[in-house]
Amino acid sequence: MNNLRLKALLGAGCFSLAMIGSVVTPANAGGLERGWYDIDLLFDPAQITGEVTGTYVMPQRDLKNVKDSNPADGPLNALGFSNSARDTESYWVPSAGIKAGVGPIDCLFDYGQPIGAYSNPGANWAGANGNIVTKVKSEALGGTCSYKMDLGKGQFRFIGGVFHEDVSGFKEQLVAPLPAFLGTGIGRLDLEGDGWGWRAGVAYEIPDIALRASLVYNSAVKLDNLSGTLDLTQVPAFIDPTNPILGRVTDVYGFSEVPQSVELKLQSGIAPGWLAFGSIKWVDWSVLQSIPFCPTSTKGLLACTTTSPVRATSLDLLYRDGWTVSAGIGHKFNDQWSGAAGISWDRGTTTGLSAQTDTWTVSAGVAYTPTKNVELRFGGALGVLTSGHIHSVVGSDGVTYGTDYTADFGNDLVSAISGSVKVKW
């Protein structure tokens, strides 16, 4: 079969099939990952291409055998708090981008939500002293360009770009169980911050056989300006007169980062009308251990560390590095319809403080191209959140974290649906 015929069978519709298989599977990855960073639109062969994508993820993580392990709380089990809870909430992951190419240069401008979290077990379970509701969201705007040159039978690309990321969120937890007339006993931490990141990478493509290999590094985003408030107005000061932040709202500050990552993606035609694809991604989640927050009034006077005497509170994550491996196969049925199916494994980032264990996911999607300028994609995924146990952990600093409660969880389901519209000019 000559190259022109092979290119026709592996061309525009099948060339983008790797995106169908990956569009939903990363949406429930470890750490705080949501949409992460996706620059696949940069490789679209059209001169100008715009795309809008939405993914709805429905994790169903249930905690059971919950025991309050902090004797100062009551314990909560003895006070009638439930020993089970639904830990997760469903969420949307939107993204959008527009790519333009002139000669050997292609540039992509995109919007996404790289990280996020939404845990909402409520105020009536025995682990409320550790978490009532936690919500984190991010918004990133980026610009990425590539320069391509002929090399052998294909083209080699140099890739580079920058992005700005805003991060915000809040957490509520039970500080002290109290009679209703004294207050709810709930404390709330609100935070926001932002920072810049950059990316660099290389890619090699042979369009005649739909081959593409790309390696992209995304830098960490330093959130050196994290600030917010710690609201303890529902915890009366007389409970502990030696604690100056009880019964009031305190301005706080801290430091954190969105981790760096490296991703290798591969795809190639394997037969007329057939495409195989896969990827390996590493994310440096282990940089997020215990993140302390201290009163702004102490800034510059004493260091804000986990063991600092001025520490007001902390977000204790103690993550380990994340790995995501995926593979799949796609087929072009005709000039209008293509389909793909894939499987992915995401290594859980928990070291014992959370329920983020390994996730196995299968996904499938179809692409419909009613005209040469419009492409519609629809996909779905079904996965297993593997079982485990929440317990205390001794950090690298020698401090014991997660002393509020213990819990078990079995194998739970996660599902997702996704859709996108791509327009080419």
Side-chain angles (χ1 to χ4, degrees), residues 37 44 76 89 117 159 170 184 203 219 242 341 360 379 413 416:
Y37 308 108
D44 194 281
L76 297 182
E89 290 280 357
I159 301 169
F170 68 89
T184 63
S219 77
T242 65
W360 289 89
L413 292 177

Side-chain angles (χ1 to χ4, degrees), residues 297-315:
S297 59
T298 67
K299 195 171 185 178
L301 301 177
L302 290 171
C304 186
T305 65
T306 303
T307 56
S308 172
V310 296
R311 181 187 71 90
T313 187
S314 62
L315 294 177

Side-chain angles (χ1 to χ4, degrees), residues 133-174:
V133 57
T134 300
K135 193 168 187 178
V136 177
K137 71 173 185 177
S138 69
E139 294 185 303
L141 292 172
T144 305
C145 292
S146 71
Y147 178 83
K148 56 190 175 185
M149 63 183 70
D150 293 336
L151 181 64
K153 296 181 179 181
Q155 293 181 319
F156 186 84
R157 290 185 190 238
F158 293 98
I159 301 169
V162 296
F163 50 93
H164 181 266
E165 195 161 342
D166 288 288
V167 179
S168 61
F170 68 89
K171 179 176 182 177
E172 294 182 358
Q173 68 184 66
L174 183 64

Side-chain angles (χ1 to χ4, degrees), residues 14 36 71 73 80 122 126 128 151 200 205 210 213 231 264 289 297 351 379 403-404 407:
C14 212
W36 208 238
D73 296 323
L151 181 64
E205 302 161 275
D231 185 346
L264 172 67
Q289 296 297 298
S297 59
T351 54
T403 58
D404 295 319

Side-chain angles (χ1 to χ4, degrees), residues 171-340:
K171 179 176 182 177
E172 294 182 358
Q173 68 184 66
L174 183 64
V175 178
L178 299 171
F181 67 91
L182 291 178
T184 63
I186 295 173
R188 179 182 171 109
L189 175 67
D190 286 271
L191 295 168
E192 61 181 3
D194 68 290
W196 287 88
W198 58 272
R199 66 172 52 96
V202 292
Y204 184 68
E205 302 161 275
I206 304 179
D208 287 350
I209 58 174
L211 182 145
R212 183 169 78 225
S214 64
L215 180 65
V216 177
Y217 168 81
N218 293 289
S219 77
V221 178
K222 298 292 185 180
L223 304 175
D224 294 332
N225 59 351
L226 270 181
S227 61
T229 58
L230 178 60
D231 185 346
L232 295 177
T233 55
Q234 293 297 311
V235 187
F238 69 78
I239 291 179
D240 183 2
T242 65
N243 190 337
I245 64 175
L246 295 184
R248 54 175 291 190
V249 176
T250 303
D251 293 330
V252 295
Y253 77 100
F255 311 95
S256 188
E257 64 183 82
V258 180
Q260 62 182 336
S261 67
V262 178
E263 186 167 18
L264 172 67
K265 288 186 175 182
L266 302 169
Q267 70 171 54
S268 178
I270 54 176
W274 290 90
L275 183 80
F277 56 89
S279 65
I280 301 175
K281 179 174 64 182
W282 167 79
V283 184
D284 190 20
W285 289 114
S286 61
V287 298
L288 300 183
Q289 296 297 298
S290 179
I291 306 170
F293 296 95
C294 300
T296 304
S297 59
T298 67
K299 195 171 185 178
L301 301 177
L302 290 171
C304 186
T305 65
T306 303
T307 56
S308 172
V310 296
R311 181 187 71 90
T313 187
S314 62
L315 294 177
D316 301 328
L317 301 174
L318 269 64
Y319 286 150
R320 63 175 181 172
D321 286 353
W323 288 90
T324 304
V325 180
S326 64
I329 191 167
H331 180 56
K332 184 176 181 180
F333 301 105
N334 53 48
D335 289 339
Q336 290 186 316
W337 289 96
S338 301

